[in-house]
Amino acid sequence: MQLTNLLFTSVALKAPPVLFPKVKVLNSNSPESLTLSQTLQSETLETLEWPSLCKQLSSFTSTTMGFSAAQKAKIPLGQTPEESHKLLDQTAAAASALMMMDSPPLDFSGIEDVSGILNSAASRELLSISELCAIRRTLRAAKLLFENLKQLVNTGDCSETERYLPLLEILKHCNFQVELEHKIGFCIDCNLLIILDRASEDLEIIRSERKRNSESLDSLLKGVSSQIFQAGAIDRPLITKRRSRMCVGIRASHRHLLPDGVILNVSGSGATYFMEPKEAIELNNMEVKLSNSEKAEEIAILSLLTSEIVESEIEIRYLLDRILEVDLAFARAAYAQWMNGVCPIITSQGCDAINFSEEEDYALSVDIAGIQHPLLLESSLRSSSDVITSNSGNSVHLGDGNGTMTSLSMLRGASDYPVPIDIKIKCGTKVVVISGPNTGGKTASMKTLGVASLMSKAGMFLPAKNRPRIPWFDLVLADIGDHQSLEQSLSTFSGHITRICNILEVASRESLILIDEIGSGTDPSEGVALSTSILQYLKDHVNLAVVTTHYADLSLLKEKGSQFENAAMEFSLETLQPTYQVLWGSTGNSNALSIAKSIGFDLNIIERAQQWVEQLKPENQQERKGLLYQSLVEERNRLEAQARRAGSLHAEILDLYHEIQNEAEDLGGRETALRAKETQQVQQELKTAKSQLDVVIQEFENGLRIASADQFNSLIRKSESEIASVVEAHCPRDAYSVNDTDSKSYTPQIGEQVQVTGLGRKLATVVEAPEDEETVLVQHGQIKVRVKKSNIRSIASSERNTETRHAPRLKRVSIAKSSRLFQSQKTVRRFHMAHWCRHQRTQWIYVVSEWKKLRTTLKWPSLQVDRIRFCLSYTGWALGL
């Protein structure tokens, strides 16, 4: 198959540059650093609300491509100072064109976004007639756009020609695919959306033969249909198509009128048959064959045009990018006139590249007068535009993103809202510290500088006065807001510091760093120290860093170097309201107390806060430091004394522990020794008692020999008295008698022995006089304990003396051992004596009763002497002697 009448050729072009290159990292080429840089740049754009500003710009675009790019914040940012200058020149040229023309200078209405069609063609999908026509319209409109630009350039003088050259340069090297556009137009009628016969010779022949065959078939069927109608086999002549074949309608009862005819279909009621006459079968076969051949030829033509588009895909995409560039240039120009913007001056070589007049006594690296934030400016401009829309003079043509333009009068008066601010930063300044009150506009001013930097990089005019001057920054990185993250376990401070750390990794000497409330969220002293260190680092590693703070100490950095500068947000003490003006070179106060007072805070709290402020002033800091040092020294001495007392007590406890442990290890042996000693003492006392009774008996017997009968009674009473004295001297008591009477009024003295009911009625010694009327400190062995006075019982003094008198005389190894040994001996001895007394009590009662009987009934004959001896002997036996 060959195409006729036109010779189609394609022009090969080099691959076009990418319109939206990735973020360029100057300080590192590692993949990790590049990824981090892109992430931080994207987050910074969100923080500075760059997408919202791009959405503002989208209202001024004229193509769907430009509208989509602005809505998605894919506005190109200059990756070098030269690219940013080029974008600004394009905006300026478009602005001049808008100023010169009363109507839109360029027509973008035929431009369509055919990138999806190109993707389909590249994936080897067959393009439809409508898709091919869309590409033709776009190529045709692009060529017309270029012609209009050249006409715009040629209509002016030489100076105007040079002014519009940046726009002409955009499309100058584009291949508008004129041959492809003509080829599509030659083959396809885009109004009727059909393929023309001239598209190919084969298609023309096929369609010619099909036309003749269709005419013959139609003539035949008309004749047969008329005959059927005349025969009354149908109400009216009917020719139709069934199963892709031409046929006639006939009643079922008259089907015999078409002998050898083919029934193609039957009506729903069954009354009508659709039959193909025998004479039409051959013509129908030819019709079907020619129809299929025509469709095949049309597909071949569409395939050929699709392949041509695939071959020209790169050039077409490049052309679309350039058209988008033109559309964005005019959108930036319309946007600039809508907000009364001015073209900034971008500096890229520091202050050395700036030429200053002789009247200027200092140079400014950033010099922006009366700038207003575009997002804050929108509401006031829209309200003003409603009033002056009817004015037709000096109108600015605004696009709606769909290829149509509307008219809006140019706003030239400065708006009262938002408040314009001045940004003045001297050459050589690397760090600017902005202080001032809350709600004073510190963050908004810093964001305005960041947005101005991005706008100038993107070739947008600034809503400011005069001619703004601003350096070109390769990266604009911001840490603004709370980066707390529960998912990443980041607190407010850790999120803040993590982001600053990442910023320091990717920042270069051409970067702009914006940090809000640096060093906040932690201890103020550590926050100031960390912030100072960060700022000292930034002054040597970035182009410019602007930070906001409430730390007054950071403002003192200006005294340490000329690379630091201060700025303050003005606050009116008369109205107690911020004025939102930046005072460059000044230090601002937070005015927190004034703001709190203005919103109705408790005056007592504010007064106390004011007193603290007075105490914390620099002139009072030395005295405050002295008092603080003195209190710290006193606290240190107190803690050291407590540590010494704790150490001494710990040593005593360890000694007591080891002593008790040693005694516990030898407890069995000492108990055996104590029992042996106590047994020996008891035996010695029994032996003494026996010898004393023997003396009494011997004296009684001697007295009987020489005594007369009248002296028997006195002799017996004397012997009884002596025996009773011996028994009383050696009979132990059951327990220590405790004086329970008047226990409430009893007050023990130091060194006095008392009985403690809480310790199993054990004896303890009072070691400390009572401090109050409730408790007493007593010691039992090595244990000191404070007990209630109600749990203390006094011991009779006679028994204490007896106890002392019968205490064993042991060698004193130590005071503690002697006391414990004495207590142990008393316990064993009391046990033996009590047991002996209980065992002999019954026998002794019997002996006493016998003596009483003897004394009352005795007539003292000689026969009774043996009985007396018996009683005395029994008395000794009863005593265990």
Side-chain angles (χ1 to χ4, degrees), residues 62 157 174 236 294 297 315 340 355 393 399 579 610 759-760 775:
S62 300
D157 53 19
C174 291
R236 58 182 179 85
E294 182 181 4
E297 188 64 20
E315 289 81 2
N340 201 26
N355 295 322
T579 64
Q610 187 64 42
L759 297 178
T775 60

Side-chain angles (χ1 to χ4, degrees), residues 481-554:
D482 188 358
H483 300 284
Q484 183 186 40
S485 173
L486 296 179
E487 181 181 356
Q488 301 178 12
S489 300
L490 293 177
S491 65
T492 299
F493 176 73
S494 57
H496 178 63
I497 292 301
T498 300
R499 184 167 179 83
I500 292 178
C501 179
N502 293 335
I503 288 175
L504 297 182
E505 283 188 30
V506 302
S508 71
R509 294 188 178 275
E510 295 183 350
S511 300
L512 171 64
I513 308 300
L514 307 173
I515 304 177
D516 189 28
E517 300 293 348
I518 186 171
S520 61
T522 186
D523 177 77
S525 59
E526 294 185 356
V528 170
L530 182 60
S531 301
T532 302
S533 180
I534 293 174
L535 297 183
Q536 291 284 357
Y537 176 88
L538 288 175
K539 76 177 178 63
D540 298 324
H541 293 83
V542 300
N543 190 333
L544 180 62
V546 180
V547 302
T548 66
T549 184
H550 286 286
Y551 296 145
D553 292 340
L554 296 184

Side-chain angles (χ1 to χ4, degrees), residues 51 74 128 212 268 292 427 438 574 642 665 700 703 733 750 831 874 877:
K74 292 185 177 180
S128 64
R212 288 193 299 269
N292 292 335
C427 281
N438 292 313
E574 297 179 356
Q642 290 181 354
E665 291 174 354
F700 180 74
R733 291 161 178 78
I750 297 178
F831 170 78
Y874 188 82
W877 170 81

